């Protein structure tokens, strides 16, 4: 028996079909490695004399296309060299803290940061000899008190999770500037539609692209941009060395999601405002939290910083405890009970059983988070449908007590 010969072009050697037209949609480029013409050319690529990708852990076209779009939304300073995409929002937070700080340094974070950011500061940075303290982001004087001679960086979020307090960002930025400390802002909740941290003195801006920017709960990605190219290089080198690389397919999905970000955001925000007012009028609701409402503790600051941009997040507290909370979720099957935010559809989360379960009941209640406390990430649905769902859900809790 004679073997049929294997065609010579079976392994590579088939040129990509080129023509005069080009695809409208961005191609997905999954190639891990890129081919160069000669050692001279590769030298020129590595030296920066010519542009060219080499190995996708170090960068690839789908990440760069996505980064350029977020740069434009964010107003990332050109001097910073453009933002970086990494594999998750936490990869972005980690790359900033671990790429810029060294043993002996100290960092001050907002006391209501995203749970994993808090964990990084409390559990991981100390293992590397970096000290961390927390301060109340609504009061810049507490940051001043937390500073030490070796403090190098402050990390804050403008709008906190889940009680939606609004940071005194201008006070904190003034302090950082005066003391020569870097200010990093995780702007995931506020998004570039509502707030531009660079315009308020931030040196570094972080996003979890997973949330509103990509918007469809099908990718985890992060973004980080800097004011200064040297900081970008330190963060980039750390991210490449530790392999925080984003997948090209995820970047492609996020690019597609990002094209409608402003439309989704505007609709979700209008829905959130209307839903907050609706909830506040329902029997069985103890408290409704939305930054632009007159009963919000930071309303003045929120209006000053965000104008009309109250965002898509609403929190509320039910009368009754865990039993009422269970009844609410079961009575609203159309509202996904899922611990995320920023999806195109409305999702509901219960901090006491998810993001804040690690705290004691006393710690939670000090933070305003009871068993009846919920956070809504409002989506783009018809507002009447949302009002009906929540009316039905809250009605099912009336009279239920633990
Ligand atoms: C979700 C979130 C993160 C982490 O993002 P991932 O993409 O899930 O890693 C960081 N900061 C904030 C404010 C978030 O909401």
């Amino acid at each position: 028996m004679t073997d049929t010969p294997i065609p010579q072009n079976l392994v590579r050697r088939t040129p990509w079909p080129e023509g005069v037209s080009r695809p409208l949609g961005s191609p997905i480029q999954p190639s891990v490695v890129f081919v160069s013409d000669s050692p001279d050319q590769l030298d020129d690529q590595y030296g920066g004399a010519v542009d060219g990708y080499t190995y996708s852990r170090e960068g690839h076209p789908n990440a760069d296309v996505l980064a350029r779009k977020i740069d434009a939304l964010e107003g990332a300073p050109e001097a910073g060299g453009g933002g970086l995409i990494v594999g998750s929002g936490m990869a972005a937070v980690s790359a900033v803290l671990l790429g810029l700080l060294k043993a002996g340094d100290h960092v001050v974070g907002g006391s209501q940061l995203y749970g994993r950011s808090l964990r990084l500061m409390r559990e991981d940075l100390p293992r590397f000899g970096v000290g961390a303290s927390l301060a109340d982001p609504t009061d810049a004087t507490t940051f001043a008190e937390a500073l030490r001679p070796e403090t190098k960086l402050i990390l804050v979020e403008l709008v906190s999770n889940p009680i939606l307090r609004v940071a005194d960002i201008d006070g904190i930025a003034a302090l950082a500037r005066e003391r020569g400390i870097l200010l990093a802002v995780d702007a995931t909740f506020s998004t570039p539609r509502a707030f531009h941290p660079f315009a308020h003195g931030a040196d570094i801006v972080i996003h979890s692209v997973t949330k509103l920017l990509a918007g469809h709960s099908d990718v985890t990605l992060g973004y980080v941009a800097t004011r200064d190219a040297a900081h970008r290089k330190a963060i980039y080198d750390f991210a490449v060395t530790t392999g925080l690389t984003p997948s090209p397919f995820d970047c492609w999905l996020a690019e597609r999601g990002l094209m409608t970000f402003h439309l989704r955001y505007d609709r979700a925000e209008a829905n959130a405002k209307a839903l907050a007012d609706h909830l506040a009028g329902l029997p069985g609701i103890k408290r409704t939290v939305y930054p632009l409402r007159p009963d919000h503790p930071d309303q003045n600051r929120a209006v000053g910083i965000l104008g009309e941009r109250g965002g898509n997040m609403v929190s509320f507290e039910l009368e009754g405890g865990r039993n009422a909370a269970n009844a609410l979720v079961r009575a609203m099957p159309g509202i996904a009970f899922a611990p995320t935010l920023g999806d195109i559809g409305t999702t509901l989360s219960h901090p006491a059983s998810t993001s804040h379960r690690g705290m004691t009941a006393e710690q939670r209640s000090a933070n305003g988070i009871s068993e009846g406390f919920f956070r809504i990430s409002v989506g783009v649905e018809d507002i009447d449908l949302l009002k009906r769902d929540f009316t039905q859900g809250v009605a099912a809790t009336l009279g239920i007590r633990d």
Side-chain angles (χ1 to χ4, degrees), residues 106-111 133-156 168-181 183:
H106 175 251
V107 55
V108 182
S111 53
S133 312
L134 300 177
D136 175 1
T138 65
D139 180 359
T141 61
T142 66
F143 274 78
E145 285 158 14
L147 294 184
R148 299 182 192 162
E150 66 274 21
T151 306
K152 292 286 157 52
L153 189 137
I154 289 174
L155 173 64
V156 287
D168 177 9
I169 191 71
D170 293 325
I172 295 169
L175 177 70
R177 194 165 50 242
E178 184 189 303
R179 305 282 283 268
I181 293 167
L183 175 62

Side-chain angles (χ1 to χ4, degrees), residues 16-189:
W16 187 254
E18 301 282 1
V20 294
S21 58
R22 55 190 190 284
L24 172 65
S26 295
I28 303 172
Q29 178 51 273
S31 189
V32 168
V33 71
F34 293 76
V35 178
S36 302
D37 283 345
S38 65
D40 276 355
Q41 194 205 67
L42 194 54
D43 250 353
D44 287 346
Q45 281 176 231
Y46 276 121
V50 296
D51 286 334
Y53 295 99
T54 52
Y55 191 69
S56 70
R57 180 161 33 74
E58 304 187 350
H60 56 72
N62 289 105
D64 286 347
V65 167
L66 177 62
R68 296 299 78 76
K69 286 186 191 291
I70 303 177
D71 287 349
L73 275 171
E74 192 51 81
E78 237 166 76
L84 300 168
I85 302 294
V86 287
S88 68
M90 277 317 299
V93 174
S94 302
V96 167
L97 295 180
L98 294 166
L100 293 178
L101 301 172
K102 60 178 189 324
D105 288 346
H106 175 251
V107 55
V108 182
S111 53
Q112 296 162 21
L113 288 174
Y114 184 70
R116 287 279 162 186
S117 299
L118 285 177
R119 191 190 151 94
L120 182 65
M121 296 181 71
R122 285 196 186 120
E123 312 284 327
D124 298 300
L125 292 184
R127 288 191 294 113
F128 298 104
V130 176
S133 312
L134 300 177
D136 175 1
T138 65
D139 180 359
T141 61
T142 66
F143 274 78
E145 285 158 14
L147 294 184
R148 299 182 192 162
E150 66 274 21
T151 306
K152 292 286 157 52
L153 189 137
I154 289 174
L155 173 64
V156 287
E157 296 170 17
L158 180 69
V159 179
S160 78
N161 173 40
I163 55 169
L164 312 180
R165 295 296 305 259
V166 179
D168 177 9
I169 191 71
D170 293 325
I172 295 169
L175 177 70
R177 194 165 50 242
E178 184 189 303
R179 305 282 283 268
I181 293 167
L182 293 175
L183 175 62
V185 178
D186 176 342
T188 302
F189 265 54

